[in-house]
Amino acid sequence: MGLFSNTSDEKRHVSIESKQLDTGAQLDASLHAPLDPDESLRIRRKIDRHILPLMCVLYCIQFMDKATLGNSSILGILKATHLTTNQYNWLGTIFFLGYLAFEFPQNLALQRFPVGKWMSLNIFIWGVALCCHAACKNFAGLFAIRFVLGICEGSTTAGFMIVSSMFYTRREHTARIGYCRKNCDQSPLPPFTPSNSSNEWSWFESQVFLPSPTLIDFAAQIISSFISFGTLHIHTTVFEPWQWLMIITGTLTLITALSFFFLFPDSPTNAWFLTEDERAKAVRRIKENQTGVENKHFKMEQMIEALTDPKTWLFALFSAFNAIPASLGNQLQIMIVSFGFSPLQTTLLGCVSGVVGTVSIFTGVTIASRIPNSIAWVGIVYFVPGLLGVFLVNFLPWHDKVGLLFSIWIQIASAPSFVLSLAWVSQTTAGHTKRITTNAIKLSALCIGSAVGPFIWRAKYKPRNHVPWIIIGVCHLSGMVLLFSIRVLLARENKRRDAEPLGDSFNDVYVVRIDEDGNRTEVKVSKEFLDLTDRQNRDFRYVL
């Protein structure tokens, strides 16, 4: 930590270097009165209005961009670029290999540079790369462009996980990663203490719902399907339908990049839409997280802690197993066509997949939000329809095209499990360097699973694809076991900490401030802004 102590008869001093402090420490120290609950609610609503629409738009664009490969498979890209089945699978894999190769560098850059600006740069480059798809004539060109696309999109999920932890309390994470609520939290929330941190969550009623980042992924699938349907009606001699799809989605991405550059904040300490007083209050709001805002100083000890923390690798394994079934996304359109539906019908039927995903995430996050300490249980339950879908698609007769189609849609209903895991890892990890390391490991594991996934769909397994579906079933079962294991691990740690005597470590920490007249004063720094990890801060309790 870099803490140095000096003891006198009057009081115990612990002085620290400024680089060890969380960026919110100075702002928090400037507030001398407790934060009024109504004022906290007003600020949170203001943050919602300025952040959530941009996050929703970008996630929508990101999903549409990922879906372009699957949609273009029935729009003519396979024939135009002379792709074999194996080459088509490689285009799905290379995206995630680029994502994987640059995931940790992306996370380090997100800590080193302003989050909003770094994300804007990456969004712009991936918009250009997406438009360049239309100029590709063979596998080699598409291979290179997909790699660049993966590199740039690696900044999005990690960036949003970091931003969410900067602006929102742990009580608000799950709802905002799955969906967001407006006009809620009408009653003040209790302060974070060891006694109520994990066992007495106050969840809230809502009246008006707003779409949010992860929920909108599936809404984007609906939009993407309609765009694909529209491109089939564009008849020009210059571009084919799949090329128009790439140009349209690429242009939308470039517009999003400009919006992010000018409008998306880097942190609550410098958010353009907050006054100086509101910034201080925004920082005070997230004090209960015991995680601080951010620290631009890389701490090797926190990285080592992340690497040696068992829950880091359990979350990583879960991500890897959960990513393999996601390879169905690039195969879905081809599979529906094989059932006997026309390309026009297939593009419209793709909308149903988006509806199923949207409804399942909405209901899953709602249940987890209303029932305290239920994240693991809800995630496990939502794997059940996934297993049912796998069973049906394997054993229904091949001539039952409608039944097989519904089996695939049922399988998609397992989507909330991964959504909840994203919220869960953010709520159970503290310390900025540890957080970005954990995020990088989890997302890297996700990339490995996503890179492997396309290769389970081999030409020799068609048309029934029994082997791929069995693998997907095994992945669902493994996900259930891992969620249960994580819950047991964290529950035991909470019980161990509850039995510990209250400690006073880090309670008397001061930072030196020099005012405009050159006077030297010491300001006490709250424990929450010392950039402590969840292991160092024994007051931290894990969400279950």
Side-chain angles (χ1 to χ4, degrees):
M1 277 294 298
L3 302 181
F4 307 91
S5 61
N6 298 300
T7 306
S8 66
D9 295 335
E10 297 180 359
K11 65 178 179 180
R12 178 174 176 266
H13 291 277
V14 179
S15 57
I16 62 176
E17 301 174 29
S18 59
K19 67 179 181 180
Q20 300 289 347
L21 283 177
D22 183 88
T23 58
Q26 296 282 6
L27 283 175
D28 178 66
S30 67
L31 286 180
H32 303 291
L35 182 59
D36 178 69
D38 291 335
E39 179 68 1
S40 175
L41 180 60
R42 183 188 69 80
I43 292 173
R44 199 220 60 195
R45 286 175 173 169
K46 190 172 184 179
I47 292 171
D48 281 347
R49 288 195 302 271
H50 288 85
I51 290 182
L52 294 182
L54 287 169
M55 294 175 74
C56 291
V57 168
L58 182 57
Y59 259 110
C60 180
I61 291 296
Q62 183 185 35
F63 186 89
M64 288 170 57
D65 291 353
K66 288 180 181 177
T68 53
L69 182 62
N71 289 330
S72 63
S73 65
I74 60 169
L75 298 180
I77 193 174
L78 299 179
K79 182 179 180 180
T81 57
H82 316 290
L83 294 177
T84 65
T85 299
N86 190 53
Q87 288 174 334
Y88 178 75
N89 289 338
W90 263 110
L91 293 182
T93 294
I94 193 58
F95 171 91
F96 291 102
L97 289 180
Y99 198 116
L100 172 63
F102 284 82
E103 184 54 40
F104 195 69
Q106 285 279 19
N107 273 267
L108 289 178
L110 285 166
Q111 182 180 21
R112 177 65 181 83
F113 303 112
V115 176
K117 301 302 181 292
W118 181 256
M119 290 178 66
S120 301
L121 175 62
N122 280 272
I123 298 167
F124 182 82
I125 295 173
W126 104 45
V128 173
L130 198 61
C131 290
C132 289
H133 278 65
C136 295
K137 302 298 183 183
N138 52 40
F139 169 70
L142 289 171
F143 188 86
I145 291 298
R146 298 290 298 177
F147 184 76
V148 173
L149 205 62
I151 292 173
C152 296
E153 291 201 27
S155 66
T156 305
T157 301
F160 280 165
M161 290 171 73
I162 292 172
V163 169
S164 295
S165 64
M166 287 182 187
F167 281 92
Y168 294 109
T169 68
R170 295 203 295 174
R171 293 181 178 87
E172 297 160 353
H173 279 181
T174 303
R176 277 157 182 78
I177 289 181
Y179 61 79
C180 288
R181 308 175 178 207
K182 187 178 180 182
N183 299 328
C184 55
D185 298 343
Q186 297 298 336
S187 42
L189 297 172
F192 179 92
T193 64
S195 63
N196 66 18
S197 60
S198 61
N199 300 321
E200 300 177 16
W201 271 10
S202 290
W203 296 100
F204 26 80
E205 299 297 327
S206 63
Q207 292 128 11
V208 182
F209 290 89
L210 290 174
S212 82
T214 311
L215 182 63
I216 207 147
D217 278 4
F218 286 95
Q221 186 168 347
I222 301 173
I223 299 171
S224 181
S225 296
F226 278 118
I227 293 176
S228 299
F229 179 79
T231 59
L232 282 171
H233 293 80
I234 301 176
H235 303 288
T236 65
T237 57
V238 180
F239 292 129
E240 296 184 31
W242 70 270
Q243 291 172 307
W244 278 115
L245 177 65
M246 298 297 182
I247 291 172
I248 292 170
T249 52
T251 301
L252 292 174
T253 303
L254 292 173
I255 295 172
T256 303
L258 293 175
S259 300
F260 257 71
F261 184 83
F262 291 107
L263 300 177
F264 197 72
D266 298 312
S267 95
T269 62
N270 61 7
W272 64 269
F273 55 85
L274 297 176
T275 65
E276 192 67 27
D277 180 63
E278 288 173 337
R279 292 173 186 174
K281 291 175 180 177
V283 169
R284 176 65 62 86
R285 248 179 41 80
I286 57 104
K287 192 173 181 178
E288 67 174 66
N289 290 356
Q290 303 276 331
T291 59
V293 178
E294 65 173 342
N295 187 296
K296 294 298 184 183
H297 176 64
F298 182 84
K299 299 180 179 179
M300 180 60 69
E301 68 273 15
Q302 289 195 13
M303 177 181 174
I304 294 172
E305 182 176 317
L307 293 173
T308 57
D309 193 332
K311 75 175 186 296
T312 300
W313 299 104
L314 289 174
F315 275 120
L317 278 174
F318 177 83
S319 295
F321 280 114
N322 201 76
I324 293 175
S327 61
L328 177 62
N330 286 336
Q331 302 294 327
L332 186 60
Q333 308 286 46
I334 297 174
M335 199 174 296
I336 293 176
V337 168
S338 73
F339 291 163
F341 297 96
S342 70
L344 275 174
Q345 291 171 329
T346 300
T347 56
L348 291 178
L349 287 172
C351 299
V352 180
S353 303
V355 171
V356 173
T358 300
V359 172
S360 60
I361 291 177
F362 180 84
T363 56
V365 173
T366 298
I367 295 170
S369 298
R370 293 181 182 274
I371 303 177
N373 296 317
S374 64
I375 292 180
W377 302 131
V378 173
I380 289 171
V381 168
Y382 270 83
F383 271 124
V384 174
L387 290 172
L388 176 61
V390 169
F391 179 84
L392 292 175
V393 81
N394 270 294
F395 292 102
L396 284 176
W398 182 245
H399 62 78
D400 188 1
K401 306 301 183 183
V402 175
L404 292 170
L405 187 60
F406 271 84
S407 300
I408 294 175
W409 288 337
I410 292 172
Q411 197 278 145
I412 295 173
S414 61
S417 301
F418 179 67
V419 174
L420 292 172
S421 77
L422 284 177
W424 203 10
V425 71
S426 294
Q427 296 168 2
T428 54
T429 307
H432 200 69
T433 300
K434 182 177 181 180
R435 196 184 308 153
I436 64 113
T437 303
T438 302
N439 288 346
I441 292 172
K442 178 180 173 66
L443 294 176
S444 295
L446 177 71
C447 291
I448 292 173
S450 299
V452 171
F455 290 101
I456 68 176
W457 305 95
R458 307 292 295 275
K460 64 182 180 181
Y461 299 140
K462 294 179 179 180
R464 290 308 304 255
N465 290 304
H466 285 304
V467 172
W469 284 114
I470 291 172
I471 293 173
I472 288 175
V474 171
C475 289
H476 287 336
L477 286 171
S478 301
M480 297 170 78
V481 172
L482 286 166
L483 287 178
F484 179 75
S485 301
I486 294 170
R487 194 184 198 282
V488 170
L489 176 70
L490 298 183
R492 286 178 177 174
E493 180 59 26
N494 281 347
K495 186 176 181 180
R496 183 182 299 111
R497 295 188 182 195
D498 288 339
E500 293 177 357
L502 294 177
D504 59 355
S505 299
F506 311 111
N507 284 344
D508 294 304
V509 178
Y510 296 80
V511 63
V512 175
R513 295 180 63 184
I514 308 297
D515 60 25
E516 295 179 355
D517 299 326
N519 297 319
R520 182 180 182 275
T521 58
E522 289 184 338
V523 179
K524 187 173 182 178
V525 181
S526 297
K527 180 189 295 186
E528 295 82 0
F529 297 104
L530 293 178
D531 194 35
L532 302 177
T533 67
D534 50 278
R535 279 187 178 178
Q536 291 172 324
N537 185 359
R538 306 306 291 178
D539 288 342
F540 189 97
R541 293 297 183 274
Y542 295 102
V543 174
L544 304 177

